[in-house]
Amino acid sequence: MGRYASVIIDIALEKLDKPFTYMIPDELMDRLEEGMEVSIPFGRGNTLRKGYVVAINDRAALPDDKLKYISSVNEGSVNIEGRTLALAAWMKKNYGGTLIGAMRTVLPVKKKMKELTFKLIKRQAQPERLIREVQGLNPLRYAARIRLYKALILSEELPEDMIKDKLNVSAAVLKTAQKDGFITIESIRRYRAPVAKSGRYSEKTTLNEEQQAVVDEILNARDRGDLRPALIHGVTGSGKTEVYLELIEKVVSEGRQAIVLIPEISLTFQTLMRFYARFKDRVSVMHSKLSEGERYDQYERAKNGELDIIIGPRSALFIPFADPGIIIIDEEHELSYKSEKMPKYHAREVAAYLAEREKALLVLGSATPSIESYHKTQEDEYRLFSLKTRYGKAELPKVYIEDMRAELKSGNKGFLSRRLSSLITERMLKGEQSMLFINRRGIAGFISCRSCGFVVNCPHCSVSMTEHRDGLLHCHYCGHTQPKPKLCPKCGSKYIAGFKAGTEKMESELKKLYPSARILRMDADTTKNKDDYDRILSSFADGEADILLGTQMIVKGHDFPNVTLVGALAADMSLNLSDYHSAERTFQLLAQAAGRAGRAQKPGEVVIQTYNPEHYAITLAAQHDYESFYEQELSYRELADFPPVCHMLTMQFYSSDAEAGMERAGRIAQAISSMEGEVPELIGPAEALIGKLKDTYRTGLYVRHKDIALLHRVKDIAEETEAELNMMDASADVMLQFDFDPVNSF
Ligand code: ADP
Ligand code: ZN
Ligand code: ZN
């Protein structure tokens, strides 16, 4: 049991690195826990201050006679700081790592930023007095003063900028006017606004019957005290966003606040405007492209009660609202809701914790819910709501599955099936737009030798390199480039070539096939700058191109009324992933893509090109049949014992030395095997799927079990063992991270 506590005096990120060490008095020895609020004597005068325990240790860097004792524990504090800390403690318990690390995650603002202000000039004298003053002044000598007073006769207050710029009045003149008691000059706090305000505020829409029923039932259930999370399964275009807006309006009218999570990639101007139009400047955004000052100000506005609604990716969960009443997670199946950095939390789980604590509603929405969430509705843990029709009776598109093996047999060696190419031609004639995407997940763009099978790998990462138009081979993980070998390094054969299936290549092929087509390409290479993404999409929306060609990123959440054809090239590439999610990902991608065609009055068509035309992920996506897909997928997960029927924990060891990581993983596996009570089955230690990345070796240790609490115990044992091993060998250079229910394979 530790005798020393690290205490931070203030919850602010800049102070997290400077905890103070205190001794723990005997009477608190058994009671004190990380995360507790304590009173401590501070400074020369030993004034009592409030602090938070962030760690408990056996040793201290200073001798005991230089240390003070903690005075007492403050029970039951519920201020914002206490709640933030409780959240961090919960994250640490559930996802591993340190409390400080968890606090860095839940405090979205890095440091206190300068507050911006502007000066406001306020009239202090009666207009009559100003009129008399103006009449008494010599217009030649005091022209500026007269301009100022005349303006103030008309308006009671004016911004200083405006007076200086537009009226050409100097600071000296303002000083005099202040001294004479005609005006006061006040400093007013001004917030950095992340989105330009639009003048167009829209009227409330009237929900259709189906939408209204969902809103009513969610609110009624809440009023009955049923706070189970709600999952809205609504086909694309069914008006989920309208339902969110209505729920938010209700909650805000009760004086509470709303958090809306949307994937960063669909945080577009279009989406934001729908919220701004309804809630004006009571809504704001948090996302990675905001400047530090902008982030700080949104945080401050939320804390000071000047915001009701925040929209953003997963980190928006950490906005310090006084009384959040609803949390919405749109496109809840998106992978980006899982953090890939320690603590590796899932926004859905953190939101569920926060909603329960705050007695708030949690509403998830998707056209293709994650198997996990849908499973919870079947177990009555979540409530299920469906929106089955598209708003305005828009039809779901007709979907064709094209077997590319059959195309080849009948002599078509191109990358477009005959059906897709004739449909593209048709669209060009009608002046309608097409979207073509390549499923790049798991695609092979590698260079291999056709004689001996040698594959060119990155020297720093155990992944294959891909050929780019600059003639060089690129590693997509670390950015390493090198020239393409002319002869096979292994056998000397000259038949070493690229397996090309990239967007660049497709673009040049398309140009040959449709010389008059205007083509936009969107992939990692054309969206390197922060505005590229918006620029390409709005140019396409404005009808500046006939075809938008890209990777799966073009599929996500955009509305293009003139798009009536969507083509999925190489739809089944993601079926080859060595990951139990691969069918789910493929289904989601294709079903979402199908939702992009024909959203307005014009009916849409979708072509899925595949080498696996019978696979259930493909046939059921083509039929827009989520329920059947869920049934099939769940029976596979049950058979193979994968989540959601169990939980998984991956322990990830990173080291600069291959042996050291393997060794450390072995020691921890041993400790787990000799744990008390039920011992779960361990897989590994084994080299990770990508065994080496950026010169770091990766070793995995995998556990599965139905009971998540058991996996938490495994994590605790691993952390304790790791601390002991580090103590014995301070030079050991192995880092351990935990990933519960991973969304990507390691
Ligand atoms: P989803 O989020 O389910 O894909 P949206 O909320 O984006 O669907 O709705 C699709 C389109 O239908 C949008 O253009 C939206 O403005 C319109 N819409 C949906 N419901 C209504 C409604 N009740 N009144 C007017 N327009 C609606
Ligand atoms: Zn070879
Ligand atoms: Zn590399």
Side-chain angles (χ1 to χ4, degrees):
M1 190 63 217
R3 294 179 48 230
Y4 305 92
S6 299
V7 176
I8 49 167
I9 305 295
D10 183 8
I11 294 195
L13 255 182
E14 72 234 73
K15 308 235 169 75
L16 289 185
D17 290 322
K18 291 176 242 148
F20 297 91
T21 303
Y22 282 84
M23 287 194 289
I24 304 173
D26 286 344
E27 70 272 19
L28 292 183
M29 199 69 98
D30 296 330
R31 264 201 330 127
L32 199 70
E33 284 173 25
E34 283 182 10
M36 280 184 166
E37 186 183 311
V38 290
S39 288
I40 39 165
F42 193 74
R44 288 250 180 81
N46 282 333
T47 36
L48 279 188
R49 300 229 359 217
K50 197 169 76 181
Y52 300 91
V53 178
V54 293
I56 294 177
N57 309 305
D58 299 325
R59 286 185 273 188
L62 292 171
D64 283 5
D65 58 9
K66 293 259 188 282
L67 295 173
K68 300 173 189 173
Y69 278 102
I70 287 177
S71 308
S72 62
V73 171
N74 305 345
E75 312 278 359
S77 66
V78 284
N79 51 18
I80 286 189
E81 298 196 328
R83 289 190 308 164
T84 304
L85 201 73
L87 173 59
W90 182 87
M91 302 256 285
K92 172 189 146 89
K93 179 168 150 272
N94 283 278
Y95 303 109
T98 60
L99 187 62
I100 299 260
M103 286 187 64
R104 289 208 177 91
T105 305
V106 302
L107 288 170
V109 174
K110 298 270 177 287
K111 59 175 182 282
K112 195 168 160 60
M113 298 291 292
K114 194 169 166 256
E115 295 181 356
L116 298 185
T117 55
F118 73 99
K119 292 215 169 92
L120 195 64
I121 309 300
K122 289 192 169 167
R123 183 179 76 204
Q124 294 302 314
Q126 293 298 322
E128 296 74 38
R129 214 189 125 201
L130 280 171
I131 294 173
R132 265 180 278 130
E133 181 74 14
V134 167
Q135 286 163 348
L137 286 172
N138 177 346
L140 291 176
R141 260 195 87 186
Y142 297 109
R145 226 186 280 183
I146 290 172
R147 281 199 301 277
L148 171 65
Y149 293 162
K150 279 189 172 164
L152 285 169
I153 291 167
L154 296 175
S155 28
E156 214 169 324
E157 49 182 53
L158 291 166
E160 186 195 48
D161 287 351
M162 191 267 201
I163 292 182
K164 284 185 169 163
D165 302 344
K166 295 265 153 55
L167 299 179
N168 202 11
V169 169
S170 68
V173 171
L174 285 174
K175 270 263 163 56
T176 314
Q178 188 182 20
K179 216 171 63 211
D180 293 346
F182 291 117
I183 60 165
T184 54
I185 306 176
E186 277 177 36
S187 249
I188 309 272
R189 177 91 191 262
R190 177 168 67 81
Y191 294 109
R192 300 162 181 93
V195 174
K197 275 189 207 120
S198 121
R200 282 173 287 128
Y201 295 131
S202 70
E203 287 303 308
K204 228 176 106 158
T205 46
T206 314
L207 297 188
N208 64 24
E209 227 169 89
E210 208 184 20
Q211 295 165 343
Q212 189 66 47
V214 172
V215 170
D216 290 345
E217 184 44 32
I218 289 179
L219 292 172
N220 288 341
R222 178 195 68 166
D223 297 341
R224 290 196 303 270
D226 181 353
L227 276 168
R228 277 179 295 164
L231 172 66
I232 303 178
H233 174 210
V235 294
T236 44
S238 58
K240 289 183 290 298
T241 312
E242 299 295 330
V243 169
Y244 304 152
L245 289 169
E246 194 70 20
L247 288 168
I248 293 169
E249 186 158 296
K250 174 73 168 129
V251 167
V252 167
S253 76
E254 299 165 343
R256 304 180 74 187
Q257 299 85 40
I259 298 171
V260 182
L261 303 191
I262 62 181
E264 179 127 20
I265 200 158
S266 40
L267 234 168
T268 56
F269 193 69
Q270 271 179 18
T271 321
L272 289 183
M273 277 311 133
R274 285 175 78 177
F275 283 87
Y276 276 79
R278 187 88 163 247
F279 300 106
K280 309 188 174 70
D281 56 359
R282 301 293 295 178
V283 53
S284 191
V285 286
M286 271 292 207
H287 58 81
S288 62
K289 283 169 191 161
L290 295 190
S291 70
E292 237 179 301
E294 285 170 337
R295 281 168 166 270
Y296 177 73
D297 276 8
Q298 307 326 305
Y299 191 84
E300 288 288 294
R301 288 171 75 191
K303 221 155 88 177
N304 299 336
E306 292 176 34
L307 277 185
D308 296 324
I309 301 144
I310 194 83
I311 308 177
R314 57 172 193 261
S315 59
L317 279 175
F318 308 127
I319 197 85
F321 276 143
D323 185 15
I326 186 167
I327 304 175
I328 288 167
I329 307 185
D330 190 29
E331 308 285 355
E332 67 89 29
H333 62 279
E334 277 288 321
L335 301 188
S336 60
Y337 287 127
K338 177 81 189 267
S339 172
E340 292 293 324
K341 282 192 305 224
M342 281 294 281
K344 299 185 179 179
Y345 68 95
H346 199 298
R348 222 162 34 213
E349 293 161 358
V350 175
Y353 161 81
L354 287 175
E356 190 174 336
R357 190 179 81 181
E358 305 290 336
K359 306 230 174 333
L361 283 170
L362 173 58
V363 177
L364 314 174
S366 173
T368 52
S370 61
I371 297 291
E372 277 86 352
S373 294
Y374 203 82
H375 184 63
K376 288 206 166 99
T377 68
Q378 305 301 298
E379 309 268 284
D380 279 337
E381 220 179 297
Y382 289 179
R383 304 190 69 212
L384 178 64
F385 297 90
S386 307
L387 292 174
K388 292 197 184 332
T389 49
R390 289 181 135 190
Y391 183 74
K393 303 275 179 291
E395 296 278 319
L396 282 167
K398 174 147 186 43
V399 185
Y400 306 96
I401 298 176
E402 296 301 313
D403 183 348
M404 294 308 278
R405 296 169 308 186
E407 291 287 317
L408 191 66
K409 253 190 214 148
S410 57
N412 175 11
K413 295 203 187 86
F415 69 101
L416 294 180
S417 59
R418 285 160 298 176
R419 187 189 299 273
L420 184 54
S421 69
S422 77
L423 290 178
I424 294 175
T425 310
E426 211 181 289
R427 292 309 182 282
M428 304 257 312
L429 293 173
K430 283 201 281 189
E432 294 176 359
Q433 292 174 299
S434 309
M435 278 168 70
L436 303 180
F437 75 95
I438 309 171
N439 185 355
R440 265 212 67 96
R441 238 176 237 294
I443 211 166
F446 53 83
I447 303 286
S448 62
C449 169
R450 273 186 273 166
S451 308
C452 77
F454 174 82
V455 174
V456 181
N457 276 343
C458 171
H460 310 288
C461 312
S462 55
V463 294
S464 53
M465 315 255 313
T466 43
E467 187 179 3
H468 279 226
R469 203 158 51 186
D470 57 14
L472 295 174
L473 303 183
H474 290 241
C475 169
H476 277 274
Y477 285 92
C478 74
H480 173 79
T481 58
Q482 67 184 49
K484 193 176 131 186
K486 295 216 163 40
L487 298 176
C488 171
K490 198 169 155 205
C491 75
S493 152
K494 62 180 181 181
Y495 295 106
I496 182 156
F499 179 97
K500 286 182 200 146
T503 36
E504 254 184 71
K505 171 86 174 162
M506 297 272 176
E507 187 183 16
S508 56
E509 295 285 312
L510 270 178
K511 277 188 178 141
K512 274 184 230 154
L513 291 170
Y514 304 98
S516 67
R518 296 164 304 161
I519 301 170
L520 276 170
R521 172 163 67 94
M522 189 154 101
D523 55 22
D525 290 335
T526 61
T527 52
K528 286 208 171 103
N529 298 321
K530 69 174 196 172
D531 301 326
D532 290 341
Y533 188 78
D534 268 346
R535 183 178 46 75
I536 296 175
L537 289 178
S538 48
S539 150
F540 188 59
D542 291 343
E544 287 164 19
D546 306 301
I547 300 173
L548 175 62
L549 169 75
T551 52
Q552 63 273 1
M553 69 165 77
I554 69 175
V555 169
K556 305 206 165 143
H558 313 287
D559 245 329
F560 301 108
N562 200 34
V563 169
T564 55
L565 176 64
V566 172
L569 315 168
D572 41 17
M573 281 301 182
S574 52
L575 286 176
N576 305 325
L577 283 177
S578 50
D579 183 337
Y580 73 88
H581 290 105
S582 60
E584 182 180 2
R585 306 275 190 264
T586 305
F587 178 87
Q588 282 164 350
L589 185 65
L590 296 177
Q592 296 275 344
R596 297 300 135 222
R599 294 198 83 178
Q601 303 317 318
K602 300 172 192 161
E605 287 174 302
V606 176
V607 178
I608 295 177
Q609 299 190 165
T610 175
Y611 293 91
N612 287 290
E614 287 95 32
H615 194 284
Y616 66 99
I618 289 176
T619 55
L620 294 172
Q623 291 160 30
H624 311 283
D625 187 353
Y626 177 84
E627 281 82 9
S628 303
F629 174 75
Y630 170 79
E631 296 294 335
Q632 285 233 21
E633 182 62 15
L634 190 74
S635 53
Y636 153 68
R637 305 273 180 102
E638 274 168 346
L639 208 67
D641 201 18
F642 279 124
V645 296
C646 73
H647 290 285
M648 292 177 87
L649 166 61
T650 302
M651 284 168 267
Q652 310 172 330
F653 297 85
Y654 300 83
S655 60
S656 55
D657 175 291
E659 238 95 280
M662 200 55 91
E663 219 250 24
R664 172 63 60 96
R667 301 286 288 269
I668 288 185
Q670 245 170 30
I672 294 168
S673 306
S674 52
M675 73 190 261
E676 277 171 41
E678 187 186 353
V679 177
E681 190 193 347
L682 280 175
I683 300 166
E687 187 182 318
L689 190 66
I690 296 174
K692 184 184 173 198
L693 193 63
K694 296 181 191 170
D695 290 320
T696 299
Y697 290 88
R698 296 145 56 101
T699 308
L701 188 55
Y702 310 84
V703 210
R704 268 191 252 181
H705 202 275
K706 270 200 163 39
D707 181 10
I708 187 95
L710 181 67
L711 295 187
H712 286 151
R713 281 214 298 288
V714 167
K715 181 242 342 171
D716 291 342
I717 290 170
E719 284 191 322
E720 282 161 26
T721 313
E722 203 208 6
E724 279 165 28
L725 292 173
N726 281 343
M727 210 116 81
M728 283 173 349
D729 178 8
S731 69
D733 163 36
V734 184
M735 188 175 57
L736 169 56
Q737 296 195 349
F738 299 91
D739 196 348
F740 286 90
D741 292 338
V743 299
N744 288 314
S745 29
F746 173 71

